[in-house]
Amino acid sequence: MSTAIVLSQVSSKVLEKLKENPYAYDVFFEAITISDPNDWQEFKSVFYHQDFDEFKADVPRLLAEGKNRWLYLGENWQLIQFYLTATCGEEDLIFPNSYSKDENDLLRVNAVTSVNYLKYERYIRYFTVDEVKEVAEELSRVAQENDRERLRKICQKAKVNFREREYEDWLEYTDLFNELIDYYKDAAEKENAMLISIG
């Protein structure tokens, strides 16, 4: 079964709390299913007693932000990752910088994964507020490029033969790609960080 990816915006304050205590992610992630504000206490067992009392004050913010709109890329992240970075597959999940230009003047943008991850949780990654702004700006530049020409460069970089089929396949994903751009733009405007859940 392929890996699915979900992106969610978080304030820098919540990101710092999650970095301090990555187990708090369970409360954040399950927020959408928690209707009674007291139900989150079922997660009490993941906290050491001293952390739990300190953590209680953060729960309302975690629950509120956990209920915000998420962007579900599902298994479709792979084609978007290929279009943005000229890499694909779970073995290429880490692309080191948020963006770069290579010798062929191919703008490569990592918007789908990150090298930053929560302590003990390699499958929960994040971009900081500043990185989100950079990614949003670079995604806007990619959106202005000619799809067909970009795919030619990408296939050349990835040592894949470019055929018209690659272009036709990509067209099926352009709506999701545009959603990704809008989601990053919205996060940048709100000065939010980005959580990336891989699993």
Side-chain angles (χ1 to χ4, degrees):
M1 188 160 95
S2 293
T3 301
I5 285 182
V6 177
L7 302 180
S8 48
Q9 296 182 33
V10 290
S11 65
S12 54
K13 197 166 196 171
V14 163
L15 178 60
E16 288 309 310
K17 292 297 175 187
L18 293 174
K19 284 162 67 177
E20 286 169 21
N21 189 343
Y23 302 114
Y25 182 76
D26 290 341
V27 176
F28 174 83
F29 188 76
E30 294 296 333
I32 204 148
T33 65
I34 298 173
S35 52
D36 182 333
N38 294 314
D39 286 352
W40 70 271
Q41 294 199 37
E42 69 186 75
F43 299 103
K44 186 174 182 175
S45 62
V46 301
F47 297 97
Y48 296 108
H49 183 69
Q50 68 273 18
D51 294 333
F52 180 74
D53 290 336
E54 189 180 305
F55 173 73
K56 276 197 291 194
D58 300 321
V59 169
R61 184 185 281 266
L62 278 171
L63 290 175
E65 291 192 26
K67 291 180 189 298
N68 288 339
R69 181 177 75 90
W70 294 25
L71 180 60
Y72 181 73
L73 297 178
E75 296 171 7
N76 299 323
W77 68 269
Q78 291 173 319
L79 191 56
I80 291 173
Q81 176 88 338
F82 181 68
Y83 185 74
L84 289 173
T85 67
T87 63
C88 61
E90 293 176 35
E91 67 279 2
D92 294 318
L93 209 52
I94 299 173
F95 179 68
N97 6 336
S98 54
Y99 66 93
S100 66
K101 274 204 170 186
D102 68 14
E103 67 280 358
N104 298 319
D105 204 36
L106 175 64
L107 176 61
R108 301 171 76 207
V109 184
N110 180 15
V112 178
T113 62
S114 171
V115 293
N116 307 321
Y117 57 91
L118 298 184
K119 189 167 45 174
Y120 316 124
E121 296 288 345
R122 291 189 66 85
Y123 294 101
I124 304 167
R125 310 221 174 160
Y126 64 88
F127 284 120
T128 64
V129 171
D130 289 339
E131 288 170 330
V132 165
K133 289 176 184 174
E134 290 174 357
V135 170
E137 189 177 315
E138 299 308 315
L139 282 174
S140 295
R141 289 190 181 138
V142 169
Q144 293 168 30
E145 294 182 340
N146 178 288
D147 286 354
R148 187 179 270 106
E149 286 310 305
R150 179 171 178 80
L151 279 167
R152 278 187 207 283
K153 284 183 183 179
I154 288 166
C155 289
Q156 183 180 10
K157 177 83 178 172
K159 296 181 171 65
V160 173
N161 289 332
F162 176 76
R163 299 180 302 272
E164 202 57 30
R165 181 74 193 148
E166 272 74 28
Y167 178 65
E168 289 167 13
D169 284 348
W170 171 248
L171 291 178
E172 295 176 26
Y173 291 88
T174 52
D175 286 346
L176 185 57
F177 180 61
N178 289 331
E179 274 188 71
L180 180 72
I181 293 168
D182 290 343
Y183 196 67
Y184 266 97
K185 184 179 175 188
D186 182 59
E189 287 170 357
K190 292 175 178 170
E191 301 207 335
N192 280 336
M194 193 72 72
L195 278 183
I196 301 156
S197 176
I198 302 167

